[in-house]
Amino acid sequence: MNTSPLHTSSRPVWLLRGNRVRALLGRRNMTITEGAQRLGVSRSYFSQLLAGRRGLSPKVRRRLLANAPFSELSADDLWRAPPEEPDEEVARGA
Protein backbone atom coordinates (compact mmCIF):
# COMPACT_ATOMS: atom_id res chain seq x y z
CA MET A 1 0.00 0.00 0.00
CA ASN A 2 1.34 3.42 -0.96
CA THR A 3 1.15 5.88 1.92
CA SER A 4 2.92 8.85 0.35
CA PRO A 5 1.29 12.26 0.82
CA LEU A 6 0.25 12.29 -2.84
CA HIS A 7 -2.01 9.31 -2.30
CA THR A 8 -3.47 9.97 1.14
CA SER A 9 -4.91 13.45 0.67
CA SER A 10 -8.32 14.20 -0.74
CA ARG A 11 -7.13 17.68 -1.76
CA PRO A 12 -5.97 18.33 -5.33
CA VAL A 13 -2.22 17.96 -5.78
CA TRP A 14 -0.15 20.50 -7.73
CA LEU A 15 3.14 19.01 -8.93
CA LEU A 16 6.32 20.89 -9.75
CA ARG A 17 7.63 20.42 -13.28
CA GLY A 18 10.96 19.21 -11.94
CA ASN A 19 12.66 18.82 -15.31
CA ARG A 20 11.97 22.45 -16.22
CA VAL A 21 13.10 23.75 -12.84
CA ARG A 22 16.26 21.64 -12.96
CA ALA A 23 17.02 23.01 -16.45
CA LEU A 24 16.51 26.56 -15.16
CA LEU A 25 18.85 25.94 -12.23
CA GLY A 26 21.42 24.48 -14.61
CA ARG A 27 21.28 27.52 -16.89
CA ARG A 28 21.86 29.72 -13.86
CA ASN A 29 24.68 27.47 -12.52
CA MET A 30 22.68 26.93 -9.33
CA THR A 31 22.60 23.81 -7.19
CA ILE A 32 19.51 22.22 -5.71
CA THR A 33 20.66 23.49 -2.32
CA GLU A 34 20.83 27.07 -3.65
CA GLY A 35 17.39 26.72 -5.22
CA ALA A 36 15.96 25.48 -1.93
CA GLN A 37 17.54 28.40 -0.09
CA ARG A 38 15.98 30.86 -2.55
CA LEU A 39 12.56 29.36 -1.81
CA GLY A 40 13.12 29.18 1.93
CA VAL A 41 12.62 25.41 2.07
CA SER A 42 14.89 22.53 3.01
CA ARG A 43 17.01 20.82 0.39
CA SER A 44 15.23 17.54 1.17
CA TYR A 45 11.77 19.04 0.58
CA PHE A 46 12.94 20.75 -2.63
CA SER A 47 14.40 17.46 -3.90
CA GLN A 48 11.09 15.74 -3.20
CA LEU A 49 9.26 18.48 -5.12
CA LEU A 50 11.64 18.10 -8.08
CA ALA A 51 11.11 14.32 -8.09
CA GLY A 52 7.31 14.62 -7.93
CA ARG A 53 7.09 12.89 -4.55
CA ARG A 54 5.53 15.89 -2.79
CA GLY A 55 2.81 18.27 -3.83
CA LEU A 56 3.25 22.04 -3.89
CA SER A 57 1.63 24.02 -1.13
CA PRO A 58 0.01 27.36 -1.99
CA LYS A 59 2.81 29.08 -0.03
CA VAL A 60 5.56 27.47 -2.10
CA ARG A 61 3.68 28.21 -5.35
CA ARG A 62 3.60 31.91 -4.37
CA ARG A 63 7.31 31.83 -3.54
CA LEU A 64 8.12 30.26 -6.91
CA LEU A 65 6.34 33.09 -8.73
CA ALA A 66 7.95 35.80 -6.60
CA ASN A 67 11.60 34.70 -6.41
CA ALA A 68 14.29 34.71 -9.07
CA PRO A 69 15.29 32.61 -10.88
CA PHE A 70 11.96 30.78 -10.68
CA SER A 71 9.96 33.91 -11.51
CA GLU A 72 11.48 33.74 -15.02
CA LEU A 73 9.02 30.91 -15.74
CA SER A 74 5.24 31.15 -15.89
CA ALA A 75 2.98 29.21 -13.55
CA ASP A 76 2.19 26.78 -16.39
CA ASP A 77 5.91 26.14 -16.83
CA LEU A 78 6.53 25.71 -13.10
CA TRP A 79 3.80 23.24 -12.12
CA ARG A 80 1.03 20.98 -13.34
CA ALA A 81 -2.45 21.68 -12.10
CA PRO A 82 -4.32 18.79 -10.53
CA PRO A 83 -6.61 16.93 -12.90
CA GLU A 84 -10.21 17.99 -12.76
CA GLU A 85 -12.66 15.65 -11.12
CA PRO A 86 -14.81 13.88 -13.70
CA ASP A 87 -18.49 14.69 -13.74
CA GLU A 88 -20.48 12.24 -11.64
CA GLU A 89 -22.43 11.07 -14.68
CA VAL A 90 -19.25 10.47 -16.65
CA ALA A 91 -17.70 8.61 -13.73
CA ARG A 92 -20.74 6.30 -13.56
CA GLY A 93 -20.63 5.66 -17.30
CA ALA A 94 -23.96 7.38 -17.98
Side-chain angles (χ1 to χ4, degrees), residues 17 65 73-80:
R17 294 183 188 272
L65 293 174
L73 298 175
S74 70
D76 289 338
D77 287 332
L78 285 167
W79 59 72
R80 291 188 307 262

Side-chain angles (χ1 to χ4, degrees), residues 6-57:
L6 292 178
H7 299 284
T8 59
S9 175
S10 61
R11 293 182 298 162
V13 178
W14 299 75
L15 293 176
L16 187 67
R17 294 183 188 272
N19 58 337
R20 294 180 185 179
V21 174
R22 277 192 181 97
L24 175 66
L25 293 174
R27 288 192 304 273
R28 299 295 292 280
N29 295 319
M30 291 178 65
T31 65
I32 291 173
T33 301
E34 291 168 328
Q37 289 171 343
R38 292 274 178 111
L39 286 179
V41 299
S42 71
R43 185 196 187 288
S44 174
Y45 177 67
F46 191 52
S47 292
Q48 291 174 15
L49 291 174
L50 290 169
R53 291 191 304 265
R54 294 284 300 262
L56 287 167
S57 69

